[in-house]
Amino acid sequence: MQESLITDENVELLLADLLEVYGYDFTDYSRASLKRRINRLYSLDKFPSFAEFRYHLRSDATYLKRFVEQITVNVTEMFRDPGFYKALREEVLPNLGTYPFIRIWLAGCSTGEEAYSMAILLQEANLFHKSLLYATDINPSVLEKAGKGIFPLSQMKQYSENYILSGGKKDFSSYYSANYDLAKFDEVLKTKMIFSTHNLVSDHSFNEFQLILCRNVLIYFDKDLQAKVFKLFDESLDNLGFLALGSKETLQFSPIASKFKKSGSEKIWRKIS
Amino acid sequence: MAQDILNKKATEVLIIGGSAGSLEVILHALPLLSNPLKIAIIIVLHRKSSSESILTELLCIKTSIPVKEADEKEFIKSGTIYLAPADYHLLIEKDRTFSLDYSEKINFSRPCIDLTFQTAAEVYRESLAALLLSGANADGVEGLELIQLTGGLTAVQNPEDAKISYMPQHALDKLKPDLILNKDEVADFINRLH
Ligand SMILES: C[S@@+](CC[C@H](N)C(=O)[O-])C[C@H]1O[C@@H](n2cnc3c(N)ncnc32)[C@H](O)[C@@H]1O
């Protein structure tokens, strides 16, 4: 292993370029992950020099697309952290049931595994018919995948275990049809999903929700940007709405903490004022 | 020789990386560490994601030095032992805070020892020390090479003393660490870091 070819200063130059040329603002992202991803891309695409890399990014808008796709982390799973989904089933959904219409925002949904998990929960709680899932991400190509609802069959064993641990009572395979090495999820699940790009850094609130899920996105943001995004979520939540974060993220020290009350042991908060 | 190198070097942070068979080494050393600890210790272990909080508790029982799971954006303080959370990569930022990353597994592992070693090497350079323990995986070796390159102190568990020799042996095949330690020498090594 050698030292990163792309230096800290190089990273700052690229981020400044992205903002100046394309209006994409990554300047409040944590640097260690960005630096690693940019290095990886630089090696992968075999640029002869940093200058060439930089020039290419500045002048070729199609390369921008690849760049954004590659420096963001899109790893995700269905029913990741089963205990979290169990808490959604037992503590959150019964509350949402009292609303005539349920709007849920999955911010940073990546390739959609979370959205399909959520749709399954809603079906099993008999709330699906009156729900709408808004699944958003900064990266259009993951949304395209999410819209297909097709995931590797090799993952299903793990997902099925997660599903059962989350309190699922059905045969998980009843939700998809297997075709060669792919699992295609029931088309019905998609009928209540809306996929759209949304950049948490720069885009505004677009509706009022009863539940917002934003998991494993904020770990990539610095404290200031986290605070800004929390404000956006606060503005986008109904008075008694729920906010759910990833297992290592917290609302605790944020400026909006006093308006929320933690519900149970999972990373779920309820708005109280 | 061991003494020399430890006297010469000023260390801020020690990262201990380990896989199968490494926990017993840590549990053995912890009660022998002097409190207050002059440096910060970051422990990156491969483990099943379910055993999460249990591991922190297990370590807490063995020492009066504060032991905690590393929180994202937390500032790294000396006198504390941090544990990498299960199922996230643990990265070190230039401002000496932790950040977490949920990207692909590397060397079949998350947390990946190489990644913490690498990001820490680029931040702490000469003031970093690393110790690679028992394991059946090659993770950590490349990171150790980088730490050596950036002037940090490198130590490896004696493969003959390790429960699973693969990881430390692989390290010795690739580099000449400053120190090769038996399980019984680990606490003394840590107590000398300053
Ligand atoms: C690690 S994935 C998390 C996926 C899923 N929520 C989970 O927890 O499994 C992070 C996602 O956040 C998205 N993301 C990163 N920056 C973003 C931003 N500024 N606005 C919206 N989404 C963003 C990435 O494109 C990626 O799909």
Side-chain angles (χ1 to χ4, degrees):
Chain A
M1 189 180 275
Q2 51 186 352
E3 276 198 68
S4 308
L5 295 168
I6 301 293
T7 65
D8 296 336
E9 293 70 37
N10 292 159
V11 171
E12 298 312 312
L13 282 174
L14 294 176
L15 298 188
D17 286 353
L18 280 179
L19 185 57
E20 179 203 318
V21 182
Y22 301 106
Y24 264 112
D25 189 354
F26 287 98
T27 57
D28 293 323
Y29 279 51
S30 297
R31 290 299 192 270
S33 166
L34 271 188
K35 187 179 174 191
R36 185 170 96 82
R37 310 281 304 180
I38 293 174
N39 255 290
R40 186 173 150 274
L41 183 63
Y42 178 69
S43 308
L44 221 60
D45 290 351
K46 302 197 169 56
F47 284 100
S49 68
F50 172 71
E52 203 110 352
F53 185 34
R54 183 177 178 201
Y55 176 78
H56 202 66
L57 179 62
R58 281 187 70 104
S59 55
D60 182 352
T62 56
Y63 192 68
L64 166 77
K65 184 163 177 285
R66 175 167 170 78
F67 189 86
V68 172
E69 280 168 23
Q70 291 292 322
I71 64 168
T72 51
V73 171
N74 305 309
V75 176
T76 182
E77 265 177 46
M78 287 187 82
F79 293 98
R80 176 171 189 213
D81 309 318
F84 167 78
Y85 283 93
K86 198 165 196 242
L88 282 183
R89 278 185 204 273
E90 292 171 359
E91 294 158 34
V92 177
L93 293 191
N95 274 297
L96 297 189
T98 59
Y99 289 89
F101 193 74
I102 305 167
R103 268 189 298 265
I104 299 174
W105 180 13
L106 299 122
C109 68
S110 189
T111 40
E113 283 81 340
E114 220 170 38
Y116 287 85
S117 308
M118 193 70 220
I120 289 172
L121 288 193
L122 290 164
Q123 268 200 344
E124 295 186 357
N126 277 322
L127 299 173
F128 189 67
H129 61 282
K130 59 170 179 173
S131 302
L132 208 48
L133 298 168
Y134 294 76
T136 66
D137 202 282
I138 190 179
N139 178 349
S141 71
V142 290
L143 292 172
E144 212 173 289
K145 278 200 191 145
K148 295 203 172 89
I150 299 175
F151 305 117
L153 193 61
S154 56
Q155 299 282 340
M156 292 305 136
K157 188 171 167 288
Q158 173 73 51
Y159 293 174
S160 167
E161 286 170 19
N162 290 355
Y163 164 78
I164 289 163
L165 286 172
S166 81
K169 299 277 189 295
K170 290 203 178 174
D171 181 354
F172 187 64
S173 65
S174 66
Y175 286 108
Y176 61 83
S177 46
N179 197 343
Y180 297 99
D181 50 357
L182 297 174
K184 184 168 188 355
F185 276 74
D186 189 351
E187 292 274 345
V188 172
L189 297 172
K190 267 198 306 213
T191 56
K192 300 288 185 180
M193 296 181 192
I194 297 172
F195 298 101
S196 166
T197 54
H198 181 280
N199 185 345
L200 289 166
V201 178
S202 48
D203 292 337
H204 296 281
S205 174
F206 57 96
N207 215 324
E208 194 155 284
F209 301 92
Q210 282 75 46
L211 168 63
I212 298 177
L213 262 78
C214 182
R215 311 189 70 219
N216 301 304
V217 181
L218 297 172
I219 48 173
Y220 296 102
F221 296 176
D222 72 15
K223 282 271 176 211
D224 292 343
L225 182 54
Q226 287 181 356
K228 189 175 144 187
V229 174
F230 281 136
K231 194 163 158 280
L232 172 69
F233 289 156
D234 183 33
E235 287 163 12
S236 311
L237 265 183
D238 192 279
N239 273 336
L240 289 168
F242 293 87
L243 175 61
L245 305 178
S247 62
K248 299 298 167 198
E249 293 159 338
T250 184
L251 196 67
Q252 209 179 350
F253 309 107
S254 83
I256 59 159
S258 61
K259 300 170 94 177
F260 285 77
K261 190 172 173 297
K262 186 136 185 287
S263 128
S265 62
E266 295 294 331
K267 296 297 176 80
I268 302 173
W269 284 262
R270 188 168 199 185
K271 196 166 162 179
I272 47 171
S273 65
Chain B
M1 172 201 100
Q3 290 235 355
D4 276 4
I5 193 114
L6 290 177
N7 290 340
K8 253 196 329 237
K9 285 248 175 211
T11 298
E12 277 181 77
V13 170
L14 166 70
I15 309 178
I16 302 175
S19 193
S22 64
L23 184 58
E24 58 176 67
V25 182
I26 293 168
L27 293 178
H28 181 78
L30 277 181
L32 305 172
L33 296 188
S34 18
N35 186 6
L37 190 67
K38 295 191 207 79
I39 54 164
I41 299 180
I42 300 167
I43 301 177
V44 184
L45 293 186
H46 295 161
R47 52 186 163 131
K48 271 247 163 281
S49 37
S50 49
S51 59
E52 190 141 7
S53 52
I54 304 168
L55 186 55
T56 317
E57 284 167 27
L58 200 63
L59 301 188
C60 273
I61 305 170
K62 295 283 180 185
T63 172
S64 55
I65 299 168
V67 179
K68 69 181 297 293
E69 200 175 273
D71 283 325
E72 65 111 15
K73 307 286 148 26
E74 179 174 11
F75 188 74
I76 301 167
K77 285 195 312 227
S78 59
T80 309
I81 300 175
Y82 300 95
L83 194 62
D87 213 21
Y88 286 84
H89 297 304
L90 182 68
L91 313 183
I92 312 297
E93 299 285 338
K94 225 165 50 176
D95 62 2
R96 298 174 185 215
T97 58
F98 291 113
S99 60
L100 299 179
D101 171 23
Y102 188 58
S103 57
E104 296 78 2
K105 291 185 178 178
I106 304 172
N107 306 325
F108 311 100
S109 312
R110 193 171 48 214
C112 159
I113 300 166
D114 272 334
L115 215 51
T116 311
F117 278 179
Q118 184 192 9
T119 51
E122 294 189 4
V123 171
Y124 288 101
R125 309 193 77 89
E126 295 83 11
S127 63
L128 180 67
L131 168 61
L132 192 65
L133 300 175
S134 164
N137 185 303
D139 192 19
V141 176
E142 287 196 8
L144 213 53
E145 286 179 284
L146 179 64
I147 292 172
Q148 191 155 62
L149 202 71
T150 50
L153 181 75
T154 52
V156 171
Q157 186 178 8
N158 182 357
E160 283 169 29
D161 176 66
K163 196 162 183 185
I164 316 267
S165 62
Y166 185 86
M167 200 149 93
Q169 184 57 53
H170 190 62
L172 297 188
D173 293 345
K174 293 280 179 181
L175 72 149
K176 198 171 166 303
D178 297 303
L179 295 160
I180 299 173
L181 300 171
N182 289 327
K183 181 174 157 179
D184 289 337
E185 298 167 325
V186 169
D188 184 52
F189 160 70
I190 296 174
N191 284 332
R192 281 160 186 263
L193 295 173
H194 59 274

